[in-house]
Amino acid sequence: MLNNTTVNVTSTTPGAPSGAPPWYQYPVCAVAPYGFIFYFGVKVFNLAIGTPCNTLVLWQILSKKSDSSTSDIFIFNLAILDTYFCLMTPVDMVNRLALGDSRIWYLQRFAYGVKDVAPLFLMCICLDRYVAVVHPVVFTGIRDNKIRIGISVVVWGLILAHGLTKCTLGVMSVNEVFSIVILSAFVVMVFCNISVIWVLRRSVLGKEKMHPVKKKAFRMVLIMLAIIVVNYLPPVALMPFVSYYTFVQFRCQISISVFSIMDLSCSIEPLLYITKMERMNGGCCRSPVNVTV
């Protein structure tokens, strides 16, 4: 099965050519280094774009006094997790390219372990919006944020347990769990978003124009569905075909590229949330007005 990390083999591995270029991890990848170049490019992008964007999302949610969305609790927790993963970039890159310290690899495996199951929070966001739009009567009875805080605590417990297991027992110990989580989360998120789109479209049948609030909600759900498909469909689609690839194809080209695309969610998700903000008059010194979806 696929896994959101690579084996701890660097250019300092016994048998690796002396002075090997740092942009690939295995000596045999010298013939196909572009996957690793893409990987490091995504890392730098997440550090430069994802870190400030996630920080802005955290500040924006904390600074709101009213008109908050029920999904903000899940978005806040996801932003914390993505910020941590982005900030691990210097540690990851320095250890991969220069140090090769086995003790630092424990931290790297933990970071990838929590990132592996980060889609659980995205799934919570999709489920929250699904209930709000498709089952509004039920949603009215569960608007209490204490329920969402409780769910967030449970999700954090699962995330930390997965990260610690991967950190201490190694990559292979959580392979099956990762595959099940990604596949399940992908199916649930796609179902929820398609259901929301269907209900919003039906609500305007026979009308000339969609209500501005519903139109904005419709646009946001479409964008989120596109992001889910782009970021999470590749690992789901590749799971059944791992055995058909050669080592060079899989380790040097496919897996590193697929999970780099998945890691881009650290930047794309906060950028999506930021687009919901009204323009900030006077910049960051004033609190933005959030448009609740």
Side-chain angles (χ1 to χ4, degrees):
M1 290 293 180
L2 296 177
N3 209 325
N4 190 16
T5 188
T6 46
V7 183
N8 183 11
V9 182
T10 67
S11 58
T12 59
T13 302
S18 176
W23 51 76
Y24 56 81
Q25 195 167 9
Y26 306 100
V28 293
C29 290
V31 296
Y34 301 107
F36 287 92
I37 295 174
F38 178 61
Y39 170 83
F40 289 121
V42 169
K43 283 289 185 184
V44 173
F45 180 83
N46 279 338
L47 180 63
I49 304 299
T51 303
C53 285
N54 279 291
T55 303
L56 178 60
V57 169
L58 293 172
W59 170 81
Q60 198 271 339
I61 293 176
L62 287 174
S63 64
K64 282 194 296 188
K65 295 180 174 61
S66 61
D67 195 31
S68 62
S69 168
T70 54
S71 299
D72 279 353
I73 291 176
F74 300 131
I75 295 171
F76 183 83
N77 284 281
L78 182 60
I80 292 176
L81 196 153
D82 284 343
T83 301
Y84 164 70
F85 187 75
C86 290
L87 290 175
M88 279 294 294
T89 293
V91 177
D92 188 6
M93 292 184 68
V94 170
N95 197 44
R96 283 179 185 272
L97 298 177
L99 300 179
D101 192 319
S102 60
R103 294 168 296 181
I104 299 177
W105 270 94
Y106 282 102
L107 296 176
Q108 291 176 252
R109 285 201 298 268
F110 177 77
Y112 274 105
V114 297
K115 179 58 181 172
D116 283 348
V117 286
L120 288 176
F121 275 123
L122 194 59
M123 185 176 69
C124 289
I125 296 169
C126 293
L127 283 169
D128 191 63
R129 293 175 177 177
Y130 166 78
V131 176
V133 175
V134 182
H135 303 288
V137 177
V138 175
F139 182 75
T140 302
I142 57 172
R143 289 186 64 91
D144 189 353
N145 281 336
K146 291 180 181 178
I147 297 174
R148 289 164 184 78
I149 293 174
I151 293 173
S152 297
V153 170
V154 172
V155 172
W156 269 113
L158 295 173
I159 289 174
L160 293 176
H162 185 274
L164 289 171
T165 301
K166 187 169 186 173
C167 168
T168 56
L169 300 183
V171 170
M172 302 306 296
S173 64
V174 292
N175 247 357
E176 296 299 326
V177 175
F178 169 72
S179 300
I180 292 171
V181 168
I182 288 296
L183 181 58
S184 302
F186 178 79
V187 170
V188 171
M189 289 188 291
V190 170
F191 169 77
C192 289
N193 281 278
I194 290 178
S195 299
V196 169
I197 291 170
W198 176 257
V199 170
L200 290 173
R201 287 295 299 170
R202 287 187 60 188
S203 68
V204 296
L205 288 178
K207 300 178 182 179
E208 293 184 2
K209 291 184 179 180
M210 183 183 291
H211 188 278
V213 174
K214 287 186 177 181
K215 186 176 183 179
K216 186 166 291 188
F218 181 73
R219 188 184 303 117
M220 291 301 300
V221 171
L222 277 178
I223 295 172
M224 177 169 283
L225 179 60
I227 289 174
I228 290 168
V229 171
V230 170
N231 285 134
Y232 298 106
L233 179 59
V236 171
L238 285 173
M239 284 176 189
F241 305 106
V242 174
S243 60
Y244 293 95
Y245 300 114
T246 65
F247 181 89
V248 172
Q249 288 175 327
F250 179 65
R251 287 296 183 186
C252 306
Q253 297 173 315
I254 296 172
S255 67
I256 196 74
S257 300
V258 163
F259 289 112
S260 295
I261 293 172
M262 187 172 166
D263 291 345
L264 273 174
S265 62
C266 288
S267 298
I268 295 175
E269 287 161 1
L271 284 171
L272 172 63
Y273 184 83
I274 290 170
T275 61
K276 292 169 57 181
M277 300 181 191
E278 294 288 351
R279 291 183 180 180
M280 292 184 233
N281 296 324
C284 294
C285 299
R286 298 184 184 181
S287 296
V289 179
N290 179 265
V291 179
T292 304
V293 176

